[in-house]
Each structure stands twice: as C-alpha cells, then as structure tokens.
Amino acid sequence: MMTDVRRRELFWFFAIALIVLGAGIGLRAPWPADEPRFVLVAKQMWDSGDWLFPHRGHELYADKPPLYFWLLGAAYAVVRDWTWAFLLPSLVAAMATLWLTYDLTRRLWSHRAGLWSAIAVLACVQFLYQAKRAQIDPTVVCFITLGVYGIARHVLLGPAWKWFWIGCFAAGLGVISKGVGFLALLALIPYALMRWRGWNGLADLGRGNALRWSGGALAFLAAIAVWFVPMIVTATTSGDPEHQAYVNELLYKQTATRYTSAWHHTQPFWYFLEVIAAYWLPFSLALPWLFPRWRDAFRAGDARVWLPLGWALLVLVFFSASPGKRDMYILPMLPMVAVAAGPYLEGVTASKWFRRILLALVVVLGIAFFGAGVAALQGDPSFEVKIEAERGLAPTSDTLWWLLAITGAAMLAVCVWWRRDALRASAVALSLLVVVLFSGTAVLLDAENSARAVMARGHALAGDATLGLVAWKEQNLLQAQGPVEEFGFRKPVDQQLRAGIAWMEAAPEKRRLFVQQDALDHCLVRERGQAVGTANRRTWWLFGADAIAPECRVSGH
C-alpha cells in the first residue's frame, strides 16, 4: 500500500528526474550526430504525408524503421515547433523507463528497492546522455524494458497473461524502432531454464496454456505488422524500383549484414565491459559490492534476481558476438541490471568505502571542470584553441570557460557543504552539473553545432536565389532558410558537384551553389566565391555561375 511518505518520495524522485532530463529542451536545435538526420526524416514525412517510406532529401532512407520518426511527428503535432518537439520522445521514453524499473523492483521486493533501482538508472552517465539526445536508443530501451517488464510480471508475479501479451507487443514495437526490440523475448530463455531447474520465485502458471503462450507471438507480430504489412504491400504493388531497393536495404544490409559483417565501429569482444565500467558510472562503482550478493542469489536459486540479470547477460553476449559495436548498444541492459541490484543497493550505499569512492569521483569531476575553466580564462591552452575553432566561438568570448569554472566551483562547494553526507552531496553536485552544462552549452554552441548560423549567412549572401547544396549534411538541409535544391546525399561528391553546376547554369541569375570546402575542385574558381563560414568543423563556400571554370561549363561558353 502506498503511504504518504512513499508518495512524497516518489513525487520528488520523478520531479528531480524530469528537471534533470528535461533541462535544455527548447534551447537548441538538433545537433550531429544523428539528431539532424532523424528530425529531417520526420519533418519530410510530416510535410509529404508519406509515413511508410522515410526520405532524406530526395533519397529513400532505409537505415532505420520508421516508428521513431512517427513519434517525432506526433510530438510536433502536439507542440507545432520542431525545436521543442524533437527531444520530447526521448524525454517521455526515459521517464517511462524509470517508472518501469521502479515498479517492477517494487513489486518484486519493496518501494525502497524500487527507488534505488530507478536512482541507479538515472545516475548512469550513459542513460543521462542518451536521454537528452534525439536518438532512437531511449525509445528502444523503453520498448525493450516494457517487454521484459511484461514478461516478468507474468512469469515472476503472475499469472498475468495480459501483461505477457503487452510485453510481446512492446518487443514488436521495438523491432520497428531499431530492429533489436526482439531482445526482450530472450527473457523467456532464463525463465525456461529456471522452471526446468525448479528455482524459487517463479509464478505458478498452470498447464494447458499453449494457446495463451502463442498469443505472445501473435502480439509480437501484430506490432511489427502495423508498419511492415502496408509497407510491403505498397512496395510490391507500386512498381517503383526505389521501394524494392528500400526493402532490400532495410531487411538485409541494415539487419543481418550489419550484425554479422559490420563495416564500421569494429571493436574487440570485451569492448562492452569497458563501456560498463566507464559509461555506467557512478552505478558501476557498486558492482564490486553487488557481485557477491548476486552469487549468493544464484546459489539460492532466486529467480527474482537472476531472470532480469540472466536476460541482461544474454544481451551482453548477443552484442559482444558481433564485430560492430557502439557503446549505446548495451543500454537496454541497464534497467534490468538495476532491477537485479535493487534489493541490495541500500546496503551497498551504506558502505563507507562506497561513499568515499563516490564522493572522490564527484570531487575529481568538480576539479576537472573548475581547472579547465580557470586555465582557459588565464591563458590559451591547446584545448581552448581547439574547441573555440571547432565550435565557432569567438576567441574574445570567455562565456563557456566561465560556465565550466563556475559549475566546477559549485560542485566542489556542494561536496564541502555536505561532506558528511556523500550520497546527498553527490546527487546534488551531479544534478547541478547536468542541468547547468546541458542548458548552458545548448545556448552557447547551438548556432555552430546546428549549422543554423552558417545557413542563415548563406541565405543572406544569396539573396533571393535558390541554394544548391553540394556535399551537404542533414543539418544543412534541415536548417536551410529560403528555397534550396540538393543533388543526392549518398551520391559521390564529384557527381553532386557536376549536377549542381549544370543546375546553376540553367538559371544563373536565380541559383547559387553552397559547397563544402572539401568538395571543391578545379571546376569552381575559389577566388570568385564567397566564404560563408564554418559549422561542425566544416567550411562552406557560396558560388555563382561566374565561378564555373570554362572547361566545366555545360553550355560551352
């Protein structure tokens, strides 16, 4: 039963989580990597009304299924402003993940255990960073967590067939978000092994339920069919070869080939152990204290601990077996590892050594930010010169360095003030760091990171002319002001440039080329162009038809 004290604790936890995760929303536009691409795809879906086949510019975009883009569109439908809308799906998904983590742990053990599990997830660096980005991962984590939650509600606390079917349906939604949503169904493997071995904590589901179990498969397939069936029907009946190419790219290259023969982000088998140690801080600090407790739970055959933990280990093995690895791949493990840690975290955090190590970590972070800020304010260290050059900051502006110095000083002051309460000091200092840093940098770096400033200047220089984008990135098309044209994204840069020159020659008074510096060759005379500026470490130029070299003119004169 939920008492007033528990309600207050729950309210304050989720209020703090909302502030921490929501800080910075509305203060910036999408930043690379990924954010401009996903928002551009969603915006083009909204503008065109084609919700089955995502596009990036003129080309079909087959790298990801469309559910996340639908969610971006739904957020825009509510607030009607892409600057506010594009981070809302990640925020909602993160908050939902925290609730699912809390609620499953509460049902398995207690309210306090549930709070500690949710705190462990919220405190994780990787979770915080991903939840504050417009990437697909927070949404996929939410669907996978809901999937395992539904299965666990059934096999550990059931029978609860409706929750089992909801879990399977959520796994299907995860598939049409990023393909790996099926991982939630792996929770049935440790359940089957534990039932065979007679472990404690499993629900009595009775016999003769084959039809109900098969309902899970139907729910899983039904969720996928929401998009897959109309997409396949359209692709096979439209007669459009691009639709068939889209199906082949999505179903084969971006799934099976990407897993078995990854062409980028190759890492050794043990890579994710390094990710857990570094990117799951400060939660990973508790692991040395948790391992003995998990060992004892294994010996006791406690399915409440080892069903979520066993599932997490299967996910770890699955991603470790692929040569292509990125740190966020294992983020879906985190909520269930936190569930398995929930009943022990209050005892772990009571350890003096744990508190000392945690406080030392926060102090080191405070010193690092304070020291970096002061060093930049006092001189011109190499990191200051590099960051200012890459992020378009004026060398005479010290706002960013004041922000770092003040943030670091505030963290250190908090640690001194609550030095006898390491948990409170760490929580306040880390919350302060996240809120101030993400909000401050959103304001200071947005013009450069989003390409908003360089696109505005390009439009101003071109006047009423249409900009033709060559060697463009998604943020350039997304932030374009006024009419634009593009000549393909995946097309080789030299082909884009030739197409752009022919396009500009067709109406030289009304068209200009907006070209990335790395794409320039002898066909455009740089001395006759205008340097527009930089964005995301790329330099951009504007050219009129008079800059076309004679030998490259399509008209021949």
Side-chain angles (χ1 to χ4, degrees), residues 231-542:
M231 184 273 294
I232 285 292
V233 170
T234 303
T236 54
T237 59
S238 68
D240 189 339
E242 283 194 343
H243 286 168
Q244 188 58 53
Y246 171 85
V247 173
N248 293 335
E249 172 84 6
L250 182 66
L251 297 186
Y252 299 107
K253 183 177 180 181
Q254 295 297 334
T255 51
T257 303
R258 193 183 188 107
Y259 179 80
T260 59
S261 304
W263 56 91
H264 56 11
H265 303 300
T266 55
Q267 299 288 349
F269 183 81
W270 61 84
Y271 169 73
F272 289 119
L273 298 180
E274 300 173 1
V275 172
I276 291 172
Y279 292 2
W280 284 20
L281 285 170
F283 175 44
S284 59
L285 295 178
L287 292 177
W289 284 269
L290 289 170
F291 288 145
R293 290 165 169 83
W294 286 338
R295 178 200 60 205
D296 294 343
F298 184 86
R299 290 172 176 172
D302 191 341
R304 296 178 301 170
V305 174
W306 272 93
L307 187 136
L309 195 57
W311 172 83
L313 291 175
L314 286 176
V315 173
L316 178 63
V317 170
F318 174 83
F319 283 120
S320 296
S322 172
K325 301 175 181 67
R326 298 184 68 186
D327 59 269
M328 73 282 291
Y329 287 177
I330 61 165
L331 186 57
M333 291 171 50
L334 176 64
M336 288 305 122
V337 175
V339 168
Y344 312 117
L345 283 174
E346 191 162 17
V348 170
T349 56
S351 165
K352 289 183 178 180
W353 273 108
F354 175 83
R355 295 188 177 210
R356 289 170 181 170
I357 295 171
L358 176 62
L359 189 61
L361 172 65
V362 177
V363 169
V364 168
L365 285 174
I367 292 173
F369 280 99
F370 178 73
V374 170
L377 290 169
Q378 294 297 317
D380 294 303
S382 58
F383 71 85
E384 178 188 8
V385 175
K386 180 180 179 182
I387 290 175
E388 288 178 345
E390 291 179 348
R391 299 305 169 189
L393 295 171
T396 56
S397 175
D398 289 330
T399 308
L400 176 62
W401 313 117
W402 277 110
L403 178 70
L404 296 186
I406 292 172
T407 302
M411 293 176 66
L412 295 174
V414 166
C415 292
V416 172
W417 184 263
W418 280 302
R419 60 187 178 278
R420 298 186 184 279
D421 190 343
L423 295 182
R424 177 178 295 184
S426 300
V428 173
L430 292 176
S431 298
L432 185 69
L433 172 64
V434 173
V435 171
V436 174
L437 198 62
F438 275 85
S439 300
T441 54
V443 174
L444 292 173
L445 304 181
D446 184 59
E448 173 81 8
N449 282 7
S450 68
R452 174 169 49 84
V454 77
M455 296 311 297
R457 178 162 170 75
H459 176 66
L461 292 174
D464 295 331
T466 300
L467 287 182
L469 308 181
V470 175
W472 56 281
K473 299 299 178 183
E474 293 92 346
Q475 56 269 25
N476 300 115
L477 186 55
L478 181 64
Q479 294 295 333
Q481 302 179 17
V484 295
E485 182 57 83
E486 48 91 5
F487 314 101
F489 184 85
R490 292 188 172 182
K491 185 182 291 185
V493 170
D494 61 329
Q495 294 182 27
Q496 290 186 44
L497 185 59
R498 300 299 176 272
I501 289 173
W503 168 83
M504 184 166 59
E505 274 200 282
E509 299 300 323
K510 299 179 180 179
R511 296 175 179 177
R512 301 289 184 272
L513 284 185
F514 183 85
V515 187
Q516 186 186 152
Q517 181 169 286
D518 291 347
L520 295 177
D521 64 14
H522 69 282
C523 283
L524 289 175
V525 180
R526 189 176 303 194
E527 289 74 14
R528 296 179 183 175
Q530 292 175 286
V532 181
T534 63
N536 313 116
R537 299 187 293 274
R538 299 179 182 92
T539 302
W540 299 90
W541 289 74
L542 189 73

Side-chain angles (χ1 to χ4, degrees), residues 51-53 65-66 70 172 175-176 218-238 243 246-247 250-251:
W51 296 95
L52 291 180
F53 295 94
W70 296 352
V175 168
I176 60 174
L218 292 177
F220 174 71
L221 295 175
I224 299 174
V226 168
W227 163 70
F228 189 77
V229 170
M231 184 273 294
I232 285 292
V233 170
T234 303
T236 54
T237 59
S238 68
H243 286 168
Y246 171 85
V247 173
L250 182 66
L251 297 186

Side-chain angles (χ1 to χ4, degrees), residues 98 101-103 105-106 110-119 342:
L98 292 175
T101 303
Y102 161 78
D103 194 60
T105 312
R106 176 186 68 84
S110 68
H111 161 77
R112 294 290 293 179
L115 270 183
W116 278 110
S117 291
I119 290 170

Side-chain angles (χ1 to χ4, degrees), residues 3-54:
T3 65
D4 290 341
V5 173
R6 292 178 178 179
R7 287 193 186 94
R8 279 198 301 273
E9 289 178 342
L10 203 58
F11 169 80
W12 281 111
F13 169 75
F14 280 99
I16 293 170
L18 183 61
I19 293 171
V20 170
L21 296 175
I25 290 180
L27 298 179
R28 68 175 181 89
W31 291 359
D34 297 335
E35 287 185 350
R37 180 186 319 131
F38 297 153
V39 178
L40 176 64
V41 170
K43 185 176 183 298
Q44 290 191 233
M45 279 185 155
W46 178 273
D47 292 340
S48 68
D50 182 358
W51 296 95
L52 291 180
F53 295 94

